[in-house]
Amino acid sequence: MKCVILAAIAAAAAAALLPAAVVAGQCGSQTCPKDAPCCVRGFCNANAMYCMDINCEPQNSFSPQSCWGTPHCAESSVDFGGHRAFANIADYHGDPAAAAFVSQFEPSNARIIGDEMQLELVKQPDGKGFGATVINTRAFQYGTVTTVMRSGCVGAGVVSSFIIRSDKVGDEIDFEFVGADPATVQSNYYWHNQLDYTKMIKSPPLTDTTKNFHTYQIQWTPDQIVWLVDGAAFRTVKRSETWDSASGTFRYPDSEAYISYSIWDGGAGAKGTSDWAGGATRWEQGPFIAAVKSVDISCFYKGNETSYTPPGGSASNDKASQSDEEKSQSSSSADASSGSDDSMSSDGGGSDTDSEPGEASADDELSEVVDASGAALPRAAHSALGAALLAILAN
């Protein structure tokens, strides 16, 4: 994988992605100020994408307590037509009882329409697409996630995804949809950012995933991962099968992670990414809109979160089995909010793949920069930040 990139490019990338950052309070050589306390890759801010555990660097922030704590898994059913399902970045302040999912970018191409959460890929003046990524506000380690969704890949070049990923460690379990093949969904998993595309396995043929809602499920335990579509398992990976004798390690995803959805412009990626996605994005085939109706989360460690104290606020009554109040408000929403959050930059979407087997894209290179820097920004290969930097890294 072509993963050599200069620190100067990393700095430029960070600046491009974090336009609202308080540059005067750069962290690293100096701490962030109290009014912008959270550090991410040398920049300070007070909003959710800086202060959430997924990104925030406690050692470089105003104080270690500036970073919001990690709300852990809670049994929940999120109906995106219900209450507290979704929030914009500016509207989320760290309480998972207020929003189940938060959009990662501004302006946001994710929104609630009727009973759906919709993520749209939009063409920009430069001809490339700006998509959307939304992320669960609770961390998740083992359990079952079931979602009802429709992909947005109605044309070549478009990629949609449903992912469980730890950006800090690089573990991932995913479902991915590509415009090149709307009749199947692809499954894969990664350990510590060691991308092995040869492990990808497609589902059996499905009715068009861009026109029909299907039920996708990931069953993740300490011993195995099972991928299912419409109740039928089509792939199982056992931990025992991932043993690597050279390193003496099981290369099996086992880190606390976050559930997310995204849509992004694979056609604008490097050749491997573009070919995998079906070639250059054909905008006349749009609109490109992925839709999610619901997600059910069942925690493997039942009751591991009995309460959570949001930053600067009172403890939420967000119990591992929903509180009666929450259940009465919405039978399908344990953590939710309204709105449409999102984006931090020009290509928000989630460069989910940095491509297909054997090819490294600009996203792969960004992935290495992020990892080498030790920062916690999402890996480009499966996050919207990657697409945002495509133009910088491709030049």
XYZ file of all heavy atoms in Angstrom, residues 6 78 86 92 143 203 213 223 236 255 310 319-320 326 341 366 373 381 392:
145
model
N 3.898 13.316 3.487
C 4.650 14.282 4.281
C 3.812 14.893 5.382
O 2.608 15.053 5.262
C 5.160 15.404 3.363
C 6.106 14.950 2.248
C 6.463 16.129 1.370
C 7.358 14.335 2.837
N -33.879 2.151 17.398
C -33.982 3.510 16.866
C -34.842 3.489 15.616
O -34.501 2.846 14.615
C -32.586 4.088 16.542
C -32.715 5.508 15.984
C -31.703 4.077 17.779
N -31.679 11.612 15.669
C -30.619 12.195 14.857
C -30.396 13.653 15.225
O -31.355 14.361 15.545
C -31.058 12.062 13.392
C -30.098 12.638 12.403
C -28.870 12.036 12.179
C -30.423 13.775 11.688
C -27.993 12.559 11.249
C -29.552 14.309 10.759
C -28.329 13.686 10.537
N -25.449 18.640 19.142
C -25.149 17.509 20.030
C -24.090 17.917 21.050
O -23.027 18.418 20.687
C -24.650 16.298 19.223
C -24.398 15.094 20.104
C -25.450 14.448 20.733
C -23.105 14.634 20.335
C -25.235 13.356 21.563
C -22.867 13.543 21.158
C -23.933 12.907 21.761
O -23.716 11.842 22.595
N -22.111 -7.878 20.156
C -23.551 -7.832 20.210
C -24.120 -8.019 18.820
O -23.420 -8.464 17.890
N -22.813 -11.130 -0.857
C -24.028 -11.853 -0.494
C -24.552 -12.597 -1.716
O -24.158 -12.302 -2.860
C -25.099 -10.873 -0.023
O -25.560 -10.091 -1.120
N -35.871 -2.015 0.407
C -35.312 -2.079 1.754
C -35.067 -3.542 2.114
O -35.925 -4.394 1.901
C -36.256 -1.443 2.772
C -36.247 0.055 2.743
C -37.114 0.749 1.916
C -35.357 0.768 3.542
C -37.107 2.136 1.880
C -35.336 2.159 3.522
C -36.212 2.839 2.683
N -16.168 -14.793 19.765
C -15.767 -16.009 19.058
C -16.028 -16.008 17.562
O -15.362 -16.727 16.823
C -16.482 -17.219 19.667
C -16.135 -17.403 21.135
O -14.945 -17.313 21.473
O -17.063 -17.623 21.937
N -19.762 -16.503 7.843
C -19.348 -16.591 9.238
C -17.816 -16.611 9.286
O -17.178 -17.343 8.526
C -19.883 -17.871 9.908
O -21.319 -17.852 9.884
C -19.408 -17.971 11.350
N -12.158 -4.590 19.329
C -12.109 -3.293 20.016
C -13.504 -2.672 20.116
O -14.353 -2.875 19.247
C -11.211 -2.315 19.252
O -9.959 -2.884 18.999
N -23.443 13.070 31.081
C -22.934 13.844 29.952
C -22.058 14.983 30.439
O -22.157 15.396 31.597
C -24.202 14.357 29.267
C -25.229 14.387 30.342
C -24.888 13.242 31.268
N -30.690 3.869 30.519
C -30.339 2.569 31.052
C -30.129 1.572 29.929
O -30.628 1.722 28.846
C -31.432 2.110 32.007
C -31.636 3.089 33.147
C -32.268 2.415 34.338
C -32.508 3.414 35.448
N -31.311 3.816 36.112
N -29.372 0.532 30.264
C -29.053 -0.461 29.251
C -30.317 -1.058 28.666
O -30.401 -1.320 27.496
C -28.182 -1.561 29.856
N -38.446 6.634 28.056
C -37.979 6.576 26.684
C -38.855 5.649 25.857
O -39.171 5.919 24.707
C -36.535 6.090 26.639
C -35.558 7.149 27.082
C -34.158 6.588 27.161
O -33.973 5.545 27.818
O -33.277 7.191 26.572
N -27.099 16.431 11.103
C -25.834 16.936 11.514
C -24.906 16.921 10.355
O -25.290 16.662 9.307
C -25.395 15.989 12.614
C -23.941 15.840 12.676
O -23.292 16.008 11.694
O -23.473 15.546 13.714
N -4.066 8.904 3.309
C -4.546 9.678 4.448
C -4.644 8.781 5.668
O -4.289 9.164 6.774
C -5.915 10.282 4.151
C -6.564 10.945 5.356
C -5.682 12.070 5.860
C -7.940 11.452 5.005
N 0.372 9.746 12.818
C 0.374 10.917 13.694
C -0.102 10.582 15.097
O 0.062 11.358 16.018
C -0.543 11.998 13.113
O -1.886 11.622 13.284
N -10.357 5.494 4.743
C -10.913 4.370 4.014
C -12.349 4.086 4.373
O -13.084 3.550 3.576
C -10.077 3.131 4.268
N -6.828 17.199 -2.059
C -5.504 17.579 -1.540
C -4.489 16.501 -1.825
O -3.395 16.755 -2.310
C -5.583 17.832 -0.034
C -6.483 19.032 0.249
C -4.188 18.059 0.552
C -6.724 19.254 1.725
